Amino acid sequence: MVDAESFIDEATEEISEKVGDAHAIIALSGGVDSSVAAALAYRAIGDQLTPVYVDTGLMRKGETEGIRETFDYMDSLRVVEAQERFLDALAGVTDPEEKRKVIGEQFIREFEREARDTDADYLVQGTIYPDRIESEGNIKSHHNVGGLPDVVDFEGIVEPVRDLYKDEVREVARALDLEEVVSERMPFPGPGLAVRVVGEVTAEKVEVAREACHVVEEELEEYDPWQAFAAVVGKGTGVKGDNRVHGWIVAVRSVESRDGMTARAQELSWETLQRIQSRITGQNDNVARVVYDVTHKPPATIEYE
Ligand code: XMP
């Protein structure tokens, strides 16, 4: 485990030395990794840092508002409203890796524009140790590793948390007084709700996933999971009132893990499962059924795509 206080001092000093009087930019995702990297960099160089938050429309409920509040103290924060552009780019795309690619490319386009506009010399990234391992092993393409450095000719890249595990990043977040919504936030995939919607990403499926994820997070807080969420996995028949409907199937997933590389499905009480089921089917007439995923990782991954 890291000594958070000395880590913060050392990281801040290293960033100041590296960046000097130049300008830096960071893509803020709202997750704990990029938030800690941004907070460290802001401590080191203040408004020489431009944190850019791209609202892809694939974020969790209340995420954008939360970002604005948490980082209100950073005068240089930019929020890019890109929801429609992402949905347009994803229309007709069904392959999981293709989805990641489309999202990654759209993200780069949005970010590139901001980077050029701010004349940034350095790129700050919230890459953590497991990201590097999974990317090097080619297990999946992470849009937060690689890609960004190539779009603009940055003088250098700063990755202040590159040697830390997630629990160590949280420790640093607490020491930095980052609000609980950030420091205790569950990991959320870079491609957002797009990997919690099996098949084509549509505004309707994303909305079902977003509302269902919110219910699951609220109901499972007491179980303290590594990640708990819901995904739209397909369609099935159901009855609503007197009508037979063809509605969405929502899968609920809750796992324990240390670093996301392996995970165990959590055992939940029947009452909890039924409460989740009743809230999710109750909030949207187009949801026909709710199922609970009992698969560990391996053999399953944590996300659905
Ligand atoms: P999987 O689904 O591969 O996920 O078991 C392991 C951990 O990584 C997160 N995840 C991602 N994070 N970009 C990310 O930044 C991605 O493309 C991505 N895919 C999965 C996932 O939420 C879990 O914490």
Side-chain angles (χ1 to χ4, degrees):
M1 203 44 94
V2 285
D3 171 355
E5 297 296 341
S6 44
F7 175 84
I8 292 169
D9 290 343
E10 282 161 27
T12 310
E13 208 177 303
E14 198 186 315
I15 299 166
S16 305
E17 263 173 33
K18 193 159 180 184
V19 179
D21 295 333
H23 279 88
I25 189 165
I26 181 168
L28 198 57
S29 71
V32 64
D33 309 341
S34 65
S35 296
V36 166
L40 288 169
Y42 198 81
R43 222 174 226 240
I45 59 171
D47 286 333
Q48 282 163 253
L49 175 77
T50 304
V52 174
Y53 170 78
V54 178
D55 188 344
T56 59
L58 303 167
M59 314 305 292
R60 303 183 320 163
K61 188 171 174 158
E63 191 99 66
T64 303
E65 297 77 0
I67 294 280
R68 284 191 203 274
E69 277 166 33
T70 309
F71 298 101
D72 187 47
Y73 72 100
M74 297 182 180
D75 289 337
S76 47
L77 173 68
R78 291 189 180 198
V79 176
V80 182
E81 305 278 352
Q83 298 93 317
E84 283 188 17
R85 292 192 289 276
F86 275 85
L87 267 186
D88 287 348
L90 284 165
V93 181
T94 52
D95 177 75
E97 281 304 304
E98 184 63 21
K99 271 191 200 175
R100 279 200 167 75
K101 200 167 143 244
V102 168
I103 292 169
E105 282 169 2
Q106 186 61 37
F107 190 85
I108 286 170
R109 227 166 282 145
E110 305 286 342
F111 190 74
E112 184 179 20
R113 195 186 50 234
E114 302 301 315
R116 290 198 197 291
D117 193 50
T118 53
D119 241 345
D121 311 285
Y122 284 88
L123 174 69
V124 183
Q125 294 204 120
T127 317
I128 65 169
Y129 188 65
D131 295 340
R132 289 200 283 134
I133 298 303
E134 290 212 337
S135 283
E136 281 158 20
N138 248 330
I139 294 172
K140 66 171 164 279
S141 53
H142 269 271
H143 92 245
N144 49 352
V145 185
L148 291 187
D150 306 329
V151 293
V152 181
D153 202 10
F154 290 110
E155 217 166 282
I157 295 172
V158 187
E159 293 181 319
V161 292
R162 70 195 307 273
D163 295 324
L164 303 189
Y165 276 99
K166 189 70 99 184
D167 49 356
E168 296 174 320
V169 182
R170 285 193 210 285
E171 195 110 328
V172 174
R174 278 177 225 124
L176 280 167
D177 277 337
L178 276 179
E179 285 171 47
E180 219 168 89
V181 283
V182 171
S183 62
E184 306 313 315
R185 183 183 184 271
M186 285 175 204
F188 186 61
L193 296 174
V195 292
R196 296 184 180 172
V197 159
V198 172
E200 188 183 5
V201 178
T202 64
E204 187 194 356
K205 282 157 91 179
V206 169
E207 205 43 40
V208 172
R210 182 166 18 243
E211 290 297 329
C213 277
H214 180 64
V215 168
V216 171
E217 280 184 35
E218 269 188 6
E219 292 292 342
L220 297 187
E221 207 182 337
E222 65 185 285
Y223 285 86
D224 197 23
W226 157 269
Q227 264 175 295
F229 60 89
V232 175
V233 295
K235 278 202 144 182
T237 48
V239 274
K240 293 267 170 155
D242 292 333
N243 296 323
R244 200 172 156 88
V245 296
H246 194 216
W248 300 113
I249 302 172
V250 170
V252 173
R253 186 133 174 80
S254 186
V255 298
E256 287 164 6
S257 178
R258 177 177 189 233
D259 52 23
M261 293 196 225
T262 61
R264 288 192 68 78
Q266 276 192 318
E267 189 174 332
L268 308 181
S269 79
W270 184 248
E271 288 72 25
T272 303
L273 287 165
Q274 281 301 331
R275 218 172 29 244
I276 291 173
Q277 176 277 123
S278 127
R279 281 186 64 185
I280 294 176
T281 51
Q283 76 188 172
N284 190 324
D285 272 348
N286 295 324
V287 175
R289 66 184 68 206
V290 174
V291 298
Y292 185 58
D293 186 341
V294 298
T295 328
H296 305 311
K297 173 183 180 179
T301 52
I302 295 176
E303 304 290 344
Y304 274 76
E305 289 202 332

